[in-house]
Amino acid sequence: MPHARISPESPIGIFDSGIGGLTVVKAVQAALPAERIIYFGDTARVPYGPKSQVTIRRYAREDTEILMKHQPKMIIVACNTVSALALDVVEEAAGEIPVIGVLKAGAELASRRSGSGRIGVIGTQATIGSNAYACAIQEEDPAIEVISKACPLFVPLAEEGFIDHAATRLVAEEYLAPLVASRIDTLVLGCTHYPILKSMIASIAGPGIDIIDSAEAVADKTRALLAAQGMLNPGTGAAMPHLLVSDLPQKFRELYRLFMGTELPDVELVGV
Ligand code: DGL
């Protein structure tokens, strides 16, 4: 049972290493417009992908503690890297409230959708190195073959706004070639930054490959979980997300517009 001070009106806490998790905020807002969202982006310490497990686990605990001060009714880990390497740390820091990670949601959706049983997964070095996606997909169906590829340059390209850019195309062709050659029928965007590059990735993958965006999968899971607990917000308001960041880089306003398609609301700076 959720904590006594928690009510259906309490916010949903969402965090990522930086701005990538805003793709999850967008999907949750679209699926559950009455929910209040509090988002923490660890913009001072992004990227997490190339860092060690010890560091990622420490950051995961600190990020959760920042959100817990706002008494959320649940936490969404909108970072595949943290979902892969530190979900248990988040669950422990969250205490009694439920935690959903993008990774499991994406793995479940991919295994339901794949017809051929050959699934490609792309993500950060830490996510792919952990093998967590392959394990989560094979937990759903041990017969599925998972072909994984780390795509470390995609995060800086997305943050640079290189969405329809020749440099991104070159990099994406290089990264995706072995996956396409492996005759996958499903490709999981195993990093919350990647939906920004989805149309480029889809055009290189071709029409025969179904692209899975774990942001949408996590939004569906969130609705089901809150409904089962009687914790859906009964309001009708479509509030702006409450944004917390650990640094306010110059490009933040521009990046927010790019990821969310709306103007930046007020932002609160928090120390890490
Ligand atoms: N958005 C993070 C993820 O989903 C990756 C970005 C990073 O490397 O910090 O894994």
Side-chain angles (χ1 to χ4, degrees):
M1 269 306 283
H3 194 280
R5 276 175 301 182
I6 305 298
S7 74
E9 284 81 14
S10 300
I12 298 174
I14 303 181
F15 77 90
D16 179 40
S17 57
I19 198 150
L22 287 173
T23 56
V24 174
V25 171
K26 203 172 169 184
V28 172
Q29 273 186 328
L32 297 163
E35 296 297 335
R36 291 170 53 215
I37 292 173
I38 176 144
Y39 180 80
F40 173 58
D42 193 6
T43 41
R45 304 191 292 195
V46 68
Y48 286 10
K51 299 202 166 81
S52 71
Q53 180 166 9
V54 173
T55 300
I56 292 165
R57 289 174 73 80
R58 175 161 60 83
Y59 290 175
R61 174 172 300 281
E62 292 167 0
D63 298 348
T64 310
E65 285 166 355
I66 286 168
L67 284 179
M68 289 305 285
K69 290 188 188 132
H70 296 263
Q71 298 182 355
K73 60 184 173 186
M74 67 174 291
I75 295 217
I76 300 176
V77 182
C79 177
N80 286 271
T81 309
V82 170
S83 299
L85 292 145
L87 197 67
D88 58 318
V89 172
V90 178
E91 283 167 344
E92 199 188 291
E96 292 167 8
I97 64 161
V99 173
I100 290 185
V102 271
L103 190 146
K104 189 147 175 54
E108 285 167 0
L109 183 62
S111 41
R112 276 202 305 277
R113 290 253 195 96
S114 174
S116 73
R118 295 174 70 77
I119 297 180
V121 178
I122 53 176
T124 66
Q125 279 149 320
T127 299
I128 298 305
S130 75
N131 215 29
Y133 257 108
C135 293
I137 289 171
Q138 280 161 355
E139 221 169 83
E140 297 299 310
D141 181 349
I144 291 177
E145 198 177 331
V146 180
I147 301 106
S148 307
K149 176 91 183 142
C151 303
L153 290 173
F154 277 172
V155 168
L157 285 165
E159 295 228 343
E160 204 46 46
F162 277 22
I163 290 174
D164 190 21
H165 194 285
T168 309
R169 176 163 288 279
L170 267 181
V171 169
E173 279 169 354
E174 174 77 24
Y175 283 151
L176 300 176
L179 295 164
V180 174
S182 305
R183 292 175 287 105
I184 53 168
D185 73 342
T186 306
L187 177 65
V188 183
L189 304 181
C191 171
T192 50
H193 277 71
Y194 298 178
I196 283 288
L197 306 176
K198 188 173 176 179
S199 53
M200 174 74 81
I201 292 169
S203 78
I204 293 166
I209 297 181
D210 189 8
I211 310 282
I212 302 288
D213 177 352
S214 49
E216 285 156 24
V218 101
D220 289 346
K221 266 191 98 158
T222 300
R223 188 196 355 240
L225 184 131
L226 292 177
Q229 294 199 328
M231 291 294 274
L232 282 167
N233 192 321
T236 50
M240 298 284 252
H242 180 171
L243 290 184
L244 310 172
V245 290
S246 50
D247 186 35
L248 202 46
Q250 260 178 12
K251 288 188 66 173
F252 193 77
R253 183 172 298 279
E254 206 182 305
L255 278 172
Y256 184 89
R257 206 181 298 125
L258 184 68
F259 276 73
M260 294 294 280
T262 58
E263 287 305 314
L264 180 68
D266 289 344
V267 183
E268 194 181 317
L269 260 179
V270 291
V272 284

